[in-house]
Amino acid sequence: MFNKLIGKFSHDLGIDLGTKNTLVYVTDKGIVINEPSVVAINKRTNEILEVGEAAKKMVGKTPGHIEAIKPLVDGIISDFEVTEKMLKYFITKVHKENFALVPRPRVVIGISLDLTEVEKKAVEDAAKSAGARKVYLIDEAMATAIGANLPVTEATATMIVDIGGGTTEIAVISLGGVVVWKSIKAAGNEFDNNIIEYIREEFNILIGEQLAESIKIAIGSAIPMDAPSEIEVRGRDLVTGLPKALMVSDKQIREAISRTVSKMIENIKIILETTPPELVSDIYERGLYLAGGGALLRGLDKAISTATKIPVKIVDDPLTCVARGTGLLLGNKELLEKVVLPTSTD
Ligand SMILES: Nc1ncnc2c1ncn2[C@@H]1O[C@H](COP(=O)(O)OP(=O)(O)OP(=O)(O)O)[C@@H](O)[C@H]1O
Ligand SMILES: [Mg+2]
């Protein structure tokens, strides 16, 4: 009864708690928060200084007593306390901006299928202590498919490849459930690390993570593009210890990230090999859906379709698909009950 009462005053939330970005969807409003999963903390007082975009700007630039923490690593909560603080900050922010009286929302959260029971419970507990009244955990790939309006409850295969920052989730969905799946650590962050390593090995120059990511976004591609491109990069010369600039080409970046692209393709093939034949024929007909920020890497769709002989489609707005899926589920109780993962309180 009490829960019902406070529920009335709060907006229900759909959350994509990603390694790289956290998105919050509010019923009737859409996505209201889309910020990096970073929290800056004053270590002396344990006080939160900044969360999200403002905290990301501090990464690698903090003085000794301030720490910019990324509480999720490879899709898994590595710092429970900070994740909880981050969620609490976002949930409170949503409620403040919406003049709600008591912030006790129902929350649908997209998570990796790869999480252990303990890790799932950590996500649930973090959301609860951040103020959630009821938590529903949904597999990210399922949330992606729902966000892309794909027919997840029908007797037909929907194949999703969600390339995030920490993990790539490969899943085949049919009749409201995940039939076969795999979660691998080769995703956006690994592309960035490939670029850091390449520039160190080829040029003896050290660059940071954020620069590597921006090079990838500016000129990265999985297959040769029509027009070649290059970009100026500044890093530290490991021989002299001094700053140095150099030009890097799209061809070099392609070479740097090719190992990770191959790893993704190999794992997609493994999933296809273990998918029941009827579902494979659906996939050949309907195609595979690419989502997550990694889907935006130029030519990755073509590289995958050439290697697998399957049509590849990129979902609309791949960075927000999971959040939109969790949002759609808030408004569709029947579907939510079909696809929700079991939680500790069930
Ligand atoms: N245009 C682009 N080209 C290539 N990569 C991109 C582009 N835009 C974003 N990305 C990459 O997408 C990744 C972030 O994607 P996303 O927000 O889906 O991840 P996440 O959900 O936070 O992570 P995870 O699902 O692994 O927990 C980052 O590695 C980012 O560099
Ligand atoms: Mg994600």
Side-chain angles (χ1 to χ4, degrees), residues 18-21 75 140 164-167 188 213 216-217 292-294 296-297 319:
T19 305
K20 197 81 193 184
N21 301 299
E140 265 178 325
T167 59
E213 181 182 18
K216 169 185 74 181
I217 293 175
L296 295 169
L297 183 79
L319 282 156

Side-chain angles (χ1 to χ4, degrees), residues 16-23 37 74-75 140 162-168 187-189 192 213 216-217 292-294 296-298 318-319:
D16 173 5
L17 184 60
T19 305
K20 197 81 193 184
N21 301 299
T22 296
L23 284 78
S37 306
D74 298 340
E140 265 178 325
D162 181 330
I163 305 169
T167 59
T168 292
N189 290 346
D192 304 345
E213 181 182 18
K216 169 185 74 181
I217 293 175
L296 295 169
L297 183 79
R298 288 172 205 83
L319 282 156

Side-chain angles (χ1 to χ4, degrees), residues 55-192:
K56 188 187 174 190
K57 291 210 176 89
M58 298 170 130
V59 171
K61 297 179 182 168
T62 54
H65 67 289
I66 296 175
E67 194 179 5
I69 301 172
K70 294 181 186 166
L72 289 109
V73 175
D74 298 340
I76 292 169
I77 295 184
S78 73
D79 191 327
F80 179 81
E81 212 180 307
V82 174
T83 303
E84 185 192 314
K85 282 185 175 151
M86 184 175 81
L87 278 178
K88 201 175 245 167
Y89 175 90
F90 286 141
I91 291 177
T92 311
K93 188 170 168 190
V94 165
H95 280 270
K96 260 196 205 129
E97 281 165 13
N98 292 291
F99 307 104
L101 297 178
V102 191
R104 294 277 284 153
R106 286 188 314 152
V107 175
V108 175
I109 306 188
I111 57 158
S112 163
L113 266 176
D114 208 21
L115 299 201
T116 62
E117 289 308 312
V118 174
E119 287 159 352
K120 275 188 206 158
K121 178 126 191 350
V123 175
E124 203 191 324
D125 289 350
K128 282 209 169 134
S129 52
R133 165 166 49 106
K134 173 101 180 87
V135 179
Y136 301 87
L137 299 180
I138 304 292
D139 164 47
E140 265 178 325
M142 180 64 81
T144 300
I146 291 168
N149 288 312
L150 299 171
V152 291
T153 54
E154 287 172 25
T156 180
T158 296
M159 183 164 185
I160 300 290
V161 177
D162 181 330
I163 305 169
T167 59
T168 292
E169 310 265 322
I170 308 166
V172 177
I173 294 166
S174 173
L175 292 167
V178 174
V179 183
V180 278
W181 62 275
K182 202 163 188 220
S183 172
I184 58 168
K185 307 266 184 267
N189 290 346
E190 191 168 301
F191 284 142
D192 304 345

